[in-house]
Amino acid sequence: MESLSQRVGSIFQSLTSSIDKNVIQAETLRVLSEKHEKCENVREYVKLLVSNIAFNVESTKVVYTLLRSLIEQKQFPYIPGISQVTNDAQDRIEESMEQLFPIYSSKLVEHDIVDDEVIKKVESVFASSKIEQDLTIIFMEAFAEEKNREIFVPLFTCTPEEVDEVVKKYSSLYALMLLDQVEFEQQPAEQA
């Protein structure tokens, strides 16, 4: 598993080396600001972010399910097929949001209290879930490219669970590194 970790770490290093952390951070804050402006109050804003977090996390889970299946079958991804499966799954996730929202909300917003601390927490989780989702998709796209086959072939010697665990670890780590020192500072919580 050590060599798997080193290989996947190297892949993520390569995939993220040209990403400008400042651009990612500015874009994240811009998206949060836009979402905040669309909402009438902070309670609505937090609800929107929790829904987005649920969508991001559930969508990413679908990609990991596909990754495990590909590793098990020792197949390289076919991006149009993966895109279709992912789009179909995202439609189902949207349809399930009524059931998903309370699950995610209960983990992020305790006792239905929305204060500055909760807002920062939800903004941070939203940002990291979105970047993790993006990095996982970038990983799958690189996995699919024929020019990268030699780099990815060794993944087939590992179990699907091992690959899944290590890719999750690095997508999370790199998301956190890209968001390092971002100050989530939206409007203070108003009474709702």
Side-chain angles (χ1 to χ4, degrees):
M1 185 118 139
E2 180 66 32
S3 64
L4 171 64
S5 185
Q6 289 173 341
R7 178 165 302 277
V8 173
S10 175
I11 291 168
F12 270 94
Q13 173 61 39
S14 176
L15 294 175
T16 60
S17 64
S18 63
I19 295 176
D20 185 337
K21 178 178 173 176
N22 295 322
V23 171
I24 295 293
Q25 292 178 356
E27 177 65 10
T28 298
L29 294 174
R30 184 192 64 75
V31 167
L32 286 169
S33 179
E34 283 180 6
K35 289 181 181 297
H36 192 265
E37 288 172 18
K38 287 192 317 188
C39 297
E40 291 185 24
N41 57 53
V42 292
R43 207 168 276 289
E44 188 179 308
Y45 174 60
V46 167
K47 184 177 179 180
L48 174 63
L49 291 181
V50 170
S51 293
N52 288 176
I53 291 165
F55 183 82
N56 294 343
V57 170
E58 295 298 320
S59 296
T60 304
K61 285 180 182 179
V62 171
V63 177
Y64 281 111
T65 299
L66 292 169
L67 175 62
R68 286 190 306 273
S69 176
L70 290 165
I71 296 299
E72 186 173 345
Q73 297 170 21
K74 300 188 182 335
Q75 291 182 331
F76 286 94
Y78 175 66
I79 290 301
I82 287 180
S83 295
Q84 182 62 50
V85 169
T86 303
N87 290 338
D88 292 347
Q90 288 176 337
D91 290 342
R92 288 191 303 279
I93 292 165
E94 286 289 343
E95 292 168 4
S96 302
M97 195 54 68
E98 199 171 305
Q99 292 81 31
L100 292 170
F101 180 82
I103 296 166
Y104 283 85
S105 182
S106 69
K107 293 177 182 177
L108 295 164
V109 184
E110 293 181 32
H111 310 295
D112 205 31
I113 297 171
V114 176
D115 58 15
D116 293 343
E117 186 178 321
V118 168
I119 294 169
K120 280 185 167 189
K121 174 183 171 183
V122 173
E123 287 176 335
S124 176
V125 173
F126 164 77
S128 63
S129 71
K130 179 62 179 141
I131 293 173
E132 283 183 48
Q133 178 186 30
D134 293 346
L135 290 173
T136 304
I137 291 168
I138 290 168
F139 179 88
M140 289 295 278
E141 289 171 346
F143 188 15
E145 288 185 34
E146 198 163 324
K147 69 180 182 179
N148 296 332
R149 298 259 162 113
E150 189 176 313
I151 297 167
F152 284 88
V153 158
L155 299 184
F156 295 133
T157 64
C158 302
T159 68
E161 295 75 20
E162 289 171 333
V163 174
D164 176 272
E165 178 185 331
V166 172
V167 173
K168 281 179 184 172
K169 177 179 90 173
Y170 279 102
S171 69
S172 179
L173 173 67
Y174 275 84
L176 291 173
M177 287 176 12
L178 288 168
L179 290 171
D180 184 39
Q181 298 181 356
V182 170
E183 290 293 323
F184 295 102
E185 49 188 3
Q186 295 300 320
Q187 302 299 317
E190 61 230 30
Q191 299 304 319

